[in-house]
Amino acid sequence: MHLIAMLVLVILGYAAGENISWLLGLPIICVGLYMFEVGGKKARGWRQSQEDFFAGLGLLAMVLLVIGTALGW
């Protein structure tokens, strides 16, 4: 669950930074990135595959965002 919260907060922080102000967006992004660490210390069993999936999904989204921004989409 913490990974879903992380992704949602990072996306909302980026949207707030682009549309409102980066002074509002950057703290939201930082809180979202902290969520990744919140669940990282506890039981690693079944959550490891979930973490790997969402981390990969987040990295893919970031790469697509950078490519889309560079190409002007």
Side-chain angles (χ1 to χ4, degrees):
M1 187 65 181
H2 65 281
L3 292 172
I4 295 170
M6 175 195 73
L7 288 173
V8 168
L9 286 172
V10 169
I11 291 169
L12 287 176
Y14 182 78
E18 284 289 318
N19 296 318
I20 300 170
S21 169
W22 282 108
L23 292 175
L24 178 64
L26 285 176
I28 295 173
I29 292 172
C30 290
V31 169
L33 293 176
Y34 179 70
M35 287 292 149
F36 187 73
E37 194 61 33
V38 167
K41 301 280 189 252
K42 297 184 180 176
R44 283 271 184 198
W46 61 272
R47 283 198 283 180
Q48 186 65 39
S49 62
Q50 179 188 11
E51 287 178 358
D52 291 341
F53 173 73
F54 281 116
L57 186 63
L59 288 172
L60 178 66
M62 183 181 70
V63 168
L64 291 176
L65 180 68
V66 168
I67 291 172
T69 302
L71 296 176
W73 290 343

